[in-house]
Amino acid sequence: MNMTATLIFLGVAALVAMASSSADLDALRSGSAKFSQDLFSVLREGKENENMVASPISLQIALAMLYAGAQGNTKTQLTSVLHVDTDDLQKYLGAYKELLETIKDPVLSVASTVFVNLSLNLLDNYTTAVSTGFGANVEKVDFKQPDVAAKTINDWCDTHTNGKIKDLFSAGDLALAEAVLANAVYFKAQWKTKFNPELTKERDFKSPTGIVKVQMMNVKSNFKYAFSEKLNAQVLELPYANDKFRMLVILPSEGVALKDVESNVKTIGLDEVMKTMYSTEVDVFLPRFKIEMTHDLNAALQKLGAADLFSSQANLSGMSESPLFVSQVKQKVFIEVNEEGTEAAAVTGVVNAGRSMAPPRRKTFIVNRPFSFVLINRRTTTQLFVGHITKPKRSK
C-alpha cells in the first residue's frame, strides 16, 4: 500500500560535513542557475500580466532532499530537473555544504527539519544524508492527528520566517501524510544606499491594464548598470548593506514585452548579463512593492520532467523501506521592497509521500512599466528569489 510523504521547504539552508572541490561548487552553481530559469519559465506561463515571485533555492533544496532518497528512474528524472552532473551523492552534498556556508549571513536565517510520522522509519543512511547534507533535524509527529500535525509544522514555518509565512498546510493536506521535509529561509536586509522617504512620490506606472498610481522611490548614486542589446533591456544592481547580496532589476526597453526579455534572460544567462555591467551614476526611480503568493507546484514539476514522483512509479527506497510517493508540493512566498531595504521569506512544501553599449555618463533608470527582479548572493550568484512586477499595489 502506497503512503504519502509530505515535504515542506522554506528557503535556503544546509550545513554539510563533507569535503567538496571548487569544481563541484561550480557545477552546483551552474545547475542551480539553470533550474531557477527553468522554474520561473514554467511558473510565468499564462501569468505574464500578473505579479509573480518564487524562491528557486527553496524548491531546489526540497528536491535535493528527495534526490538524496531517490532511486531508479525517479532519481534519473530528478537528476535532469536539478541539472545534477555527478553520480556521487557525497560530492553533491559536499557542494551544498560549500554553497550554503558561503551564503550564510546574519541577514539570512535558515533552518531544516524532517517531520516524520510515529509509525514511519527512515533509513539511517537517509537520516545521516539530510542531517549532514542539509542540517536537517528529525522530529516525530503523529499524523493520525492531522490538525495537531498541521499546527506543529505551521508554527515551525511561522517561527523560522519571522511570522511572514503562516498556514502552509491544512489538516486535510496532511490526512495521509507520512513525512514532511521542511526547509525555511528568511531574508531581511537594508540597502547599501537607502532611498530617502522624503523623495518618494506618487507617479504613473504603465501596467498591462492601464496607468496605475504607485509610490515611486528615488535615489541617486553610483550603481552597477548595463544596457544589454541581447536582452533589449536595462539592468541595474542594487546592493545590500552587507555587500553579500544584490537585487538585479531588469527593465525592458519601451515597447518590448516583459515575457520576451525574460525568455532572453533564460537563453543568455544572468552570469553573462552581469559581466557587461559597470559602475556609473544612476538616478533610480523604483516603485515600492509587496507580494504574497502560494504556488501549487505539482504540475510545474511534472512539466519540468519529475513525473514519477507523483505516481505509484515513485522510487524513494533510499528514504524508507515503506513505499512513498509525493502527493503535493506547495511554496508560499513573501517579499517586500521599500526605502529601507528588502524583507523576504519562502516555504516550499512537498507532500510525499552580450554586449553592453556604453551609455551617457549619467543615467536615469525609471521603473514605470513591468520589470523583473532577482535577489542573489554576490559571490555564488545563487538566486534566492525571482519575480516580476506588472502592477505594483499602491502602498500606503
Side-chain angles (χ1 to χ4, degrees), residues 48 137 150 152 179 230 268 278 321 333 336 363:
E48 289 87 354
N137 299 312
T152 298
K230 291 183 178 180
I268 298 167
Y278 58 91
E321 292 182 353
V333 192
E336 182 174 12
K363 295 300 298 179

Side-chain angles (χ1 to χ4, degrees), residues 40 43-53 203-214 216 249-252 256-260 262 286-291 293 367-373 386-394:
F40 193 65
L43 292 180
R44 66 179 173 81
E45 287 181 1
K47 299 180 180 180
E48 289 87 354
N49 293 333
E50 302 175 20
N51 292 338
M52 174 75 66
V53 65
R203 288 178 176 262
D204 290 346
F205 186 96
K206 305 170 188 176
S207 80
T209 57
I211 300 296
V212 296
K213 297 294 184 181
V214 300
M216 190 73 76
V249 181
I250 304 171
L251 180 66
V256 176
L258 179 60
K259 66 178 181 179
D260 293 337
E262 290 176 337
L286 178 70
R288 294 177 188 162
F289 64 87
K290 177 180 177 180
I291 316 174
M293 67 188 308
V367 186
N368 62 354
R369 52 192 181 273
F371 64 96
S372 297
F373 65 88
V386 299
H388 64 218
I389 301 295
T390 62
K391 188 177 181 179
K393 292 183 179 180
R394 188 172 180 178

Side-chain angles (χ1 to χ4, degrees), residues 165-180:
I165 303 295
K166 303 174 183 286
D167 304 326
L168 181 65
F169 286 107
S170 67
D173 291 327
L174 304 180
L176 299 175
E178 287 293 319
V180 173

Side-chain angles (χ1 to χ4, degrees), residues 245-320:
F245 300 94
R246 306 275 194 266
M247 177 174 282
L248 294 179
V249 181
I250 304 171
L251 180 66
S253 299
E254 287 278 7
V256 176
L258 179 60
K259 66 178 181 179
D260 293 337
V261 171
E262 290 176 337
S263 294
N264 291 339
V265 171
K266 181 180 179 181
T267 301
I268 298 167
L270 275 180
D271 282 354
E272 291 304 310
V273 174
M274 288 188 288
K275 289 177 182 177
T276 69
M277 302 183 76
Y278 58 91
S279 182
T280 188
E281 185 179 44
V282 187
D283 195 5
V284 180
F285 294 84
L286 178 70
R288 294 177 188 162
F289 64 87
K290 177 180 177 180
I291 316 174
E292 297 178 71
M293 67 188 308
T294 300
H295 298 286
D296 292 313
L297 295 167
N298 290 32
L301 288 173
Q302 291 179 65
K303 190 165 187 176
L304 289 175
D308 281 9
L309 279 175
F310 303 95
S311 73
S312 59
Q313 301 300 312
N315 184 347
L316 297 174
S317 57
M319 182 176 178
S320 172

Side-chain angles (χ1 to χ4, degrees), residues 12-163:
V12 184
L15 296 175
V16 185
M18 302 173 189
S20 69
S21 69
S22 57
D24 296 331
L25 176 59
D26 287 344
L28 180 58
R29 286 178 59 250
S30 176
S32 178
K34 292 174 183 176
F35 172 76
S36 296
Q37 294 301 322
D38 290 346
L39 175 65
F40 193 65
S41 294
V42 171
L43 292 180
R44 66 179 173 81
E45 287 181 1
K47 299 180 180 180
E48 289 87 354
N49 293 333
E50 302 175 20
N51 292 338
M52 174 75 66
V53 65
S55 177
I57 191 65
S58 174
L59 179 59
Q60 182 185 339
I61 290 176
L63 294 177
M65 292 178 79
L66 277 177
Y67 176 83
Q71 300 291 334
N73 197 52
T74 301
K75 182 176 181 178
T76 299
Q77 291 181 355
L78 285 173
T79 297
S80 177
V81 171
L82 292 170
H83 299 276
V84 181
D85 78 336
T86 178
D87 292 328
D88 190 329
L89 181 60
Q90 301 307 310
K91 282 188 175 182
Y92 188 59
L93 296 177
Y96 264 108
K97 168 186 169 61
E98 187 175 352
L99 173 68
L100 295 166
E101 287 186 341
T102 300
I103 68 175
K104 184 169 58 177
D105 190 87
V107 305
L108 185 67
S109 175
V110 172
S112 298
T113 294
V114 180
F115 298 93
V116 183
N117 198 6
L118 296 175
S119 62
L120 180 68
N121 293 317
L122 297 179
L123 297 176
D124 289 344
N125 285 346
Y126 181 76
T127 301
T128 299
V130 296
S131 176
T132 59
F134 301 98
N137 299 312
V138 176
E139 182 176 334
K140 288 286 188 176
V141 178
D142 187 1
F143 284 108
K144 290 183 179 180
Q145 300 184 63
D147 53 340
V148 177
K151 185 179 186 306
T152 298
I153 296 169
N154 289 333
D155 285 351
W156 183 91
C157 293
D158 181 90
T159 298
H160 291 289
T161 60
N162 198 32

